[in-house]
Amino acid sequence: MSTVAEQVSRKQLSDKVKSYAPDADLTPIKKACDYVADMLNKQCRPPFGDNAMEQSLRVALILAEMKVDVTTIVAGLLYEVAEDGRARIEEIRSLFGEDVGFLVSNTTKVARMEFREEAQAQVENFRKMLLAMSKDIRVIMIRFAAHLHLMRVLETLSSPERVRVARETLDIYAPLANRLGIGWLKIQFEDLAFKHLLPKEFRDLEKKVAKRKKDQQSYVNEVIETIKERLDKQGIKCRIFGRVKHYYGIYQKTKSHRIPLEKVYDVVGVRIITRTQGECYATLGIIHGMYTPVPGRLKDFIGAPKSNGYQSLQTTVIGTGGERVEFQIRTEEMDQVAEHGIAAHWRYKDKEPLSEKDQAIFSSLREMIQGYQDLQDSRDFLNSVKGDLFSHVVYVFTPEGDLKELPTGSCPIDFAYRIHSDVGNQCVGARVNGKIVPLRYKLQHGDTVEIITQPGHGPSRDWLKIAKSSKALNRIRAWLKVDERNRSLELGTGLLERELRKNDLSPKLAKSDKLKEVASQFSFQSIDELLVAIGYGKYSARQVVNRLLPAPAKSEEKTFPEQLEKAKVRRPERKGVKITGLDHLLYHFSKCCYPLPGDEIAGFVTRGRGVAVHTRDCPNLNLITADKDRLIDVDWEPVEGQSHPVSIKISARDKQGMLASLSAVLSSAKVNIIRLDSGSGRDSTAYFNFLLEVQDKKHLESVLKKLGELPGVIRVQRTRKI
């Protein structure tokens, strides 16, 4: 038996839909209401403070305010009963169709799974929601409506739960609404979250703003009358009204600028709605003719719209009496987009195709979301989403004049990936406004950017430190992951072939069916996967070859001294490293010992970073040689003009000018200082830890000798690590 309140809500919903879609068939809505009521009668509802059916109707009414189609409203009605498990998705699909089933399935949270922590479950829910949103924008509209209703009844939840939901709203839902351009929804999310997260500050601000509005209202009304009179004389018909900025926005301004409310000038603003775009610019000229514009506060989002379609002219002027007034000038259509954002492009259209402009906005949204699909780690996913949602933007141009929107702080690498992933991967340089700039250059509003590419070039790991946009960062990581796999495949192949030769077996076995059987024994689907695992160091080549050898003929494991004897290397005259018997493999110098040409060295196959080159007497090498199958012979080879880092420590008397004397010696010896750490010890002594770049061991010995001869120097020694 439905209550009077429920009957009223049902009628309100029907009337609201009829108001914007008079020809709509409301039968599915009535059917959905009856189905929800039947589901709710079968089981007690978790406490929420009021009638459960009314809650579903309120979610549907919020959707009707967005003027969505009947299918979306039906899905909104069914959302709650599907979310708490009363209704099965298969039954919903059967009764209401595939579209409704898709929307409900992708709007409800991830099916009950075991997660290590609640935060991970939350992230997976957001991932599911966002990726489904890229296929159908109505998914996020339903989720927005349900979450807004939850925020409006947040008082019914426990205090910890209120704080969690409010924080989630500020972190995800409000920024996402802003990114989609739904202004009214962003404002409601922020103010409701502010109210529950900082209740005292909210109440104080609410009182002060109400008083400020009352004090300023007469002034704003006077400004509106003056402008209206001037615009009427110019034949510009428009609507003008004052507006109070929302509480959270005002609070943020007081905190970011560290000023009291009294010094926030634009608490009350003026919005002007004209008939045409031309009248917007004419109105701006008239206002600037009447009042003094504040420098730097004019923004033209009509000529350069935001990626979510937002268009408006924004300016702040100094009015009579020195008061600042903020104006927003836009057309009726622009106002609809500014208030309802992407939802304005999904108004009930009786299945008409989207316009080219609407398609461009959806493409921008999908591009943002689809960049997250390759991120498996929950924290990386959430950081990327927040990076996109919270970032302010910079507007730059291609050489052809196309406008591109990027996060503030972006560099040419971000721009390159914004054009295309291949352009980003092959980027080797950039011209900004016709001049060559470094890749770490921070793009400014209005820059014209041209990317210089080189086929076959690939991203550097250092790019992760300077790129800003999530798309660039995700593409760089993906490329590095593939490149690292390819290098590991090459390294693993070389290590296996080397081990096969050592056991008098043909290197061709590395691609044989027999090795495929061995790969299967190690639980790999292919030979390549096994070779990559060898390259990463997960398995040794010895373990694999032992599976290929007949049991009696398995080679006996050599002792560590025998390994060292076999791995003895010659001292070269010049620098550079080669891996004996293998070419073009990934290697790096270990920072624990900083090997120099002239040192005896050895290689160790690391897990995922190729070959680590250590000095033969490095303590760390002695610690890890228990896994001696991963030791590898390396040698120095000539490379012209290469320098190497080395760490030294100097003890000296603590006297004025000592550091200058040390630096002078290093400079005269043509040594580059990478890093310095210094301090004072007991008995008036000082220590200096330098990280230097030298040519080889001989060069270092010469430098150490010169430093040791300086007056006041007590001891000079090469160290393992600074």
Side-chain angles (χ1 to χ4, degrees), residues 96-124:
F96 298 96
E98 193 61 38
D99 273 2
V100 173
F102 172 84
L103 293 176
V104 175
S105 171
N106 285 280
T107 306
T108 53
K109 294 178 182 176
V110 174
R112 301 186 185 279
M113 296 168 57
E114 289 296 325
F115 291 103
R116 286 172 295 178
E117 51 188 23
E118 177 65 22
Q120 185 186 5
Q122 285 298 114
V123 170
E124 291 308 315

Side-chain angles (χ1 to χ4, degrees), residues 347-363:
R347 295 305 179 91
Y348 191 88
K349 295 184 178 182
D350 198 23
K351 302 195 181 297
E352 291 179 14
L354 294 174
S355 68
E356 186 176 334
K357 181 179 178 182
D358 293 351
Q359 288 286 8
I361 292 170
F362 286 124
S363 295

Side-chain angles (χ1 to χ4, degrees), residues 116 120 123-124 127 131 371-382 474 481:
R116 286 172 295 178
Q120 185 186 5
V123 170
E124 291 308 315
R127 184 199 298 273
L131 296 183
Y372 307 141
Q373 294 190 60
D374 296 330
L375 296 177
Q376 301 301 318
D377 184 85
S378 296
R379 281 175 295 185
D380 286 346
F381 174 81
L382 196 56
N474 294 341
K481 185 177 180 181

